[in-house]
Amino acid sequence: MLVVLTGGTGGAKLIEGLAAEIDPAQLTVICNTADDAVFHGLYVSPDIDTITYTLAGLNDGERGWGILDDTFAVLGQLRRLGNDVWFNLGDNDFATHITRSRLMAEGLTLTQVTERIRAALGVKATVLPMTDERVETRVVTPEGELSFQEFFVKERWSRAVESVHLIGAERCKPAPGVLEAIRQSSAVVIAPSNPITSIGPILAVSEIRKALRHSVVNVVGVSPIIGRAAISGPAHKLMAAQGLEPTAFGVAESYRDLLNRFVIDSEDRVLRSRIEGLGIRVLETAIRMTCIADKRRLARQVLALLEK
Ligand code: GDP
């Protein structure tokens, strides 16, 4: 059993590769939920959805979110009716959020709903939220505090960032199945996801971090950063705001109590000895994934590293 901790975009690419290289039934994916938000009265869980759509072969790989070839008629009509529609939701994607919101209103937990949607879409891997409780990422800017989606999507991460904090993470319980999956895993992968707003919230659930710290299996991370910039999105900006060096070294450092192996880009070979100085074995390779061949090759390299 392989456990993967992930956000959406970068993590989904590696998970697509892993699911093609091993039996997906052997995969348990633990997803960040601190970006979850309510839009038009519907509960949206962007990272769970990106991972579930990816594993179902429905994802829009170009955009990195939503369902392939989706249309946006509902959003257009919502706009006509005077709604604020800065968060993009496709028509088929809406069906997921309607289903989730109805089931949650009937009393099901996020874990139970995620399981129903997974099964309905024929996904063989296990997909788990990090917690069933509400955790929220807040981004502090000079003009005030924003939710992660307001910062990332509405403001296109253009604002200066003073700090990032989480509401509700430390005292929340991991979702059912999360600790069991970690304890029963033969290896753990920390996906190339944003260390502050995707992996950060998962590791902020204190029992999850503790279980990983006590785990005796190999834990391999993949850098989402090349040089001093994220491959996409604002990870470098948020890391700098949190006092972390915005490089692959900074990512490794923030997971240093958990990792024993780390994959960095060949361009970052100058960082190798510093990362090894943290007691972490380093693999240099091409970490940018632009096609399925890249995803599968990197997945194979990660799997090989886990075995050694
Ligand atoms: P989010 O919820 O969409 O922010 O999802 P993630 O945190 O999983 O994805 C964002 C991170 O993925 C960013 O920090 C990117 O640098 C990283 N990323 C995106 N594409 C790639 C890629 O091809 N390779 C690697 N190694 N990282 C990537």
Side-chain angles (χ1 to χ4, degrees), residues 99-283:
T99 304
R100 175 185 293 123
S101 305
R102 176 181 64 78
L103 292 171
M104 287 176 82
E106 288 172 9
L108 270 68
T109 62
L110 183 59
T111 303
Q112 291 167 329
V113 175
T114 303
E115 172 55 21
R116 287 237 193 149
I117 295 171
R118 175 204 69 77
L121 295 180
V123 170
K124 295 200 181 70
T126 303
V127 182
L128 296 172
M130 64 189 206
T131 180
D132 279 333
E133 296 166 51
R134 276 303 289 130
V135 174
E136 210 189 324
T137 297
R138 305 291 298 173
V139 182
V140 182
T141 77
E143 300 83 33
E145 210 173 288
L146 302 172
S147 73
F148 180 70
Q149 300 301 353
E150 285 167 334
F151 168 73
F152 184 55
V153 181
K154 191 175 187 184
E155 304 286 336
R156 296 171 203 273
W157 55 281
S158 59
R159 289 223 204 151
V161 177
E162 289 176 349
S163 64
V164 180
H165 64 269
L166 293 167
I167 301 174
E170 268 168 54
R171 54 169 175 68
C172 79
K173 289 270 163 218
V178 167
L179 296 181
E180 293 78 354
I182 293 170
R183 288 188 192 123
Q184 288 161 16
S185 66
S186 53
V188 176
V189 176
I190 303 183
S193 292
N194 189 319
I196 306 298
T197 56
S198 292
I199 303 298
I202 304 176
L203 298 178
V205 180
S206 35
E207 287 183 55
I208 297 183
R209 190 159 198 139
K210 204 164 122 201
L212 288 167
R213 211 180 274 148
H214 291 145
S215 157
V216 293
V217 302
N218 285 332
V219 180
V220 58
V222 180
S223 177
I225 309 266
I226 302 179
R228 296 187 76 83
I231 292 171
S232 65
H236 51 289
K237 187 170 179 174
L238 302 179
M239 287 174 76
Q242 291 299 86
L244 273 178
E245 181 182 301
T247 64
F249 173 80
V251 179
E253 196 181 27
S254 72
Y255 307 151
R256 65 183 296 175
D257 54 330
L258 314 171
L259 281 186
N260 56 4
R261 284 149 171 71
F262 195 54
V263 184
I264 64 171
D265 197 78
S266 308
E267 281 181 34
D268 280 334
R269 61 175 58 91
V270 290
L271 298 173
R272 180 180 198 124
S273 59
R274 287 177 69 210
I275 299 172
E276 284 173 343
L278 301 170
I280 298 167
R281 193 199 288 181
V282 173
L283 172 74

